[in-house]
Amino acid sequence: MKDSNFLKENNGRFMWHPMTSPADTKENPPKIITGASGVRIEDIDGHSVVDAVGGLWNVNLGYSCQPVKDAIKDQLDTLPYYSTFRGTSNDAAIELSYELNEFFAPDGMCRSFFTSGGSDSIETSLRLARQYHKLRGDHGRTKFLSLKKGYHGTHIGGASVNGNANFRNAYEPLLPGCFHIPAPYTYRNPFNETDPEKLAQLCVAALVDEIEFQGANTIAAMVMEPILGAGGVIPPHKSFAPMVQEICNRNGILLITDEVITAYGRTGAWSGARLWGIKPDMMATAKAITNGFFPFGAVMLGERMAEAFEDNPAAKIAHGYTYSGHPVGAKAALACLAETKRLNIVENAAARGDQLFEGCKALMEKYDIIGDVRGGHGMMTAIEMVSDRATKKPIDGGTAGKVQEVTYESGTMVRVSGPNIILSPPLVLSQQDADVILASLDKGFASL
Ligand SMILES: Cc1ncc(COP(=O)(O)O)c(C=O)c1O
């Protein structure tokens, strides 16, 4: 490694960072992370902090997970790469498809298509949804529906179904034919409805209305996160997803769950679909599939998809990535699945998630700047900050950054997304680690 002076001097000079202003990167250079173990990361100045971000919602098994590291090293020695395009395959990808189809069978899944990450998985789902309808002669079904505040990655298709203007404006015009439904966001919604169950009904009514307006026979698919993540951890009422599924089924619209965050245990269930008891047509997964150690993703497909493509000899998938089914990623994913099951990771995700949620609610009693705390489904918690609780006026720019900085100095890395502090730590978090996170946040808020 180059010495610390060199790295600090060149930090922010040549590299553009995702979701960041290059000018700001020069002014406020990012923290240089040099090491990680367990649930902790270490920066170049020797600070060791609990990583309450969990990498980027992906390091579910922590940084030390040896079986995944070993799997990657072994595979690099055996077969470091080969493509799975027509004519070739590899043992790791075959075995992974078998294991994943078993893992997601309770969600109604029976096939997989491999990608290089979450945005790819969403793009793949959108494309296959359109192709599904074409294969069935339904050429008019090309539109997509999704939720406001949803995040679906950064490819043009994903950005088009994204429900947050911040990720859209600079890149418009986006894909035509994408329409957004109000999110079941109890704290702020256009209906001023504070009862989550009633709000779910209102959002579903808006969905029905949009389908009628567009014409059901023009809509290919509805895409949604089972719990909205980057939009500020927004869990809907438990009646919401089943109602959406029923309406999609009734109208011949495919349902895609964006499980890039929620699959593999984060919600305290093995998948977001299972959390809500639904069976989508496709599930877009990535992130924790390899514990963040290798860029990889998988789109899981249900029976309807399998039939449409496999019963038609002319159906060709004219889509795929150089790294689809990458043997190193596939081996990493196999090791992750085995560890995830061996540790029965959902149990700890639920228990520690509850601890964090309750702890954040206790902070809300103490600090007026906290307007809302959301969570209660595994290791996904958000603290929304306001400058005035009565009017819910959003905080001034800079406040969240200050809380984040003091929280970091006090021992925990947290993520700021708009007015929200988001907690998504590794699912192997201990009770003591969760205490550290809450104590650091306490200091962060106390500093204001
Ligand atoms: C719900 C969801 N979908 C898609 C993506 C995009 O994944 P990636 O950044 O791996 O492309 C993300 C990333 O955070 C996500 O949270």
Side-chain angles (χ1 to χ4, degrees):
M1 185 170 89
K2 296 272 190 196
D3 68 40
S4 121
N5 286 340
F6 171 91
L7 294 171
K8 284 183 177 175
E9 241 170 66
N10 289 295
N11 189 11
R13 265 178 95 186
F14 301 110
M15 185 186 3
W16 283 6
H17 290 255
M19 308 293 177
T20 312
S21 133
D24 183 61
T25 306
K26 286 191 204 296
E27 285 287 302
N28 301 296
K31 293 189 167 56
I32 305 173
I33 308 302
T34 50
S37 69
V39 300
R40 289 184 161 265
I41 51 171
E42 194 175 312
D43 71 22
I44 200 159
D45 297 316
H47 296 119
S48 163
V49 298
V50 173
D51 180 20
V53 191
L56 206 49
W57 313 85
N58 51 355
V59 186
N60 283 10
L61 300 168
Y63 291 95
S64 300
C65 192
Q66 202 55 43
V68 183
K69 295 182 185 181
D70 290 344
I72 290 174
K73 285 183 208 152
D74 288 353
Q75 189 60 40
L76 278 173
D77 285 339
T78 324
L79 177 70
Y81 173 73
Y82 213 79
S83 108
T84 56
F85 274 38
R86 188 160 67 96
T88 50
S89 189
N90 68 71
D91 61 315
I94 298 166
E95 198 182 329
L96 180 62
S97 67
Y98 182 89
E99 293 292 332
L100 280 178
N101 287 298
E102 196 169 276
F103 187 79
F104 288 110
D107 303 304
M109 299 294 113
C110 61
R111 298 289 185 273
S112 28
F113 186 94
F114 295 127
T115 73
S116 341
S119 298
D120 285 356
S121 289
I122 287 296
E123 210 67 14
T124 299
S125 314
L126 299 178
R127 283 169 164 249
L128 293 184
R130 281 189 169 175
Q131 192 175 3
Y132 164 87
H133 292 294
K134 289 203 167 73
L135 287 172
R136 301 172 76 246
D138 237 346
H139 292 269
R141 284 192 183 261
T142 56
K143 296 176 187 170
F144 297 110
L145 300 176
S146 58
L147 296 178
K148 286 195 175 145
K149 297 198 84 66
Y151 181 75
H152 302 291
T154 52
H155 295 347
I156 288 288
S160 306
V161 290
N162 258 337
N164 186 329
N166 288 343
F167 302 120
R168 302 168 53 90
N169 289 346
Y171 307 102
E172 286 174 339
L174 296 168
L175 202 62
C178 297
F179 302 94
H180 299 80
I181 312 300
Y185 177 22
T186 316
Y187 189 58
R188 297 177 196 275
N189 60 74
F191 315 104
N192 287 324
E193 180 56 69
T194 52
D195 178 85
E197 190 167 4
K198 285 189 188 146
L199 177 60
Q201 283 160 5
L202 289 168
C203 294
V204 166
L207 171 65
V208 171
D209 190 53
E210 191 65 36
I211 293 172
E212 276 170 13
F213 180 70
Q214 297 296 335
N217 60 357
T218 67
I219 302 169
M222 162 92 191
V223 193
M224 70 173 186
E225 295 164 90
I227 294 178
L228 285 87
V233 181
I234 301 173
H237 184 265
K238 64 178 182 340
S239 60
F240 180 70
M243 285 194 282
V244 171
Q245 161 126 71
E246 196 274 315
I247 285 156
C248 286
N249 283 350
R250 194 171 357 122
N251 288 284
I253 297 168
L254 295 174
L255 178 60
I256 303 167
T257 52
D258 182 342
E259 306 250 5
V260 170
I261 289 174
T262 50
Y264 311 108
R266 178 152 296 279
T267 67
W270 291 114
S271 69
R274 231 168 298 176
L275 176 70
W276 301 130
I278 58 169
K279 288 194 165 58
D281 293 290
M282 281 180 268
M283 298 166 76
T285 85
K287 289 200 189 270
I289 191 171
T290 51
N291 203 37
F293 291 3
F294 196 89
F296 201 80
V299 176
M300 301 304 304
L301 307 132
E303 282 292 347
R304 274 205 268 186
M305 298 297 295
E307 273 167 29
F309 281 77
E310 293 175 11
D311 291 353
N312 181 348
K316 181 183 170 198
I317 299 172
H319 169 77
Y321 305 99
T322 298
Y323 302 115
S324 287
H326 194 297
V328 179
K331 262 286 155 63
L334 279 166
C336 275
L337 266 187
E339 274 303 276
T340 299
K341 287 193 268 188
R342 186 182 71 79
L343 297 170
N344 194 20
I345 205 73
V346 286
E347 272 183 15
N348 197 54
R352 298 285 70 80
D354 283 349
Q355 184 187 347
L356 289 174
F357 186 42
E358 292 308 320
C360 290
K361 285 199 278 192
L363 290 174
M364 186 169 165
E365 303 277 301
K366 219 167 149 185
Y367 299 106
D368 282 348
I369 193 170
I370 303 181
D372 194 28
V373 170
R374 293 181 292 276
H377 301 283
M379 219 77 100
M380 294 178 78
T381 310
I383 296 174
E384 180 165 341
M385 291 171 282
V386 286
S387 56
D388 178 15
R389 263 197 195 172
T391 61
K392 301 184 183 175
K393 186 169 172 240
I395 44 161
D396 304 325
T399 309
K402 183 158 184 224
V403 178
Q404 183 186 35
E405 198 49 42
V406 179
T407 303
Y408 185 81
E409 282 157 20
S410 312
T412 301
M413 172 70 109
V414 291
R415 180 161 178 229
V416 168
S417 173
N420 303 301
I421 288 182
I422 295 187
L423 306 178
S424 53
L427 307 187
V428 291
L429 198 78
S430 69
Q431 191 170 349
Q432 290 78 1
D433 298 324
D435 286 338
V436 171
I437 294 174
L438 293 167
S440 312
L441 277 169
D442 198 349
K443 292 200 177 110
F445 287 114
S447 71
L448 292 177

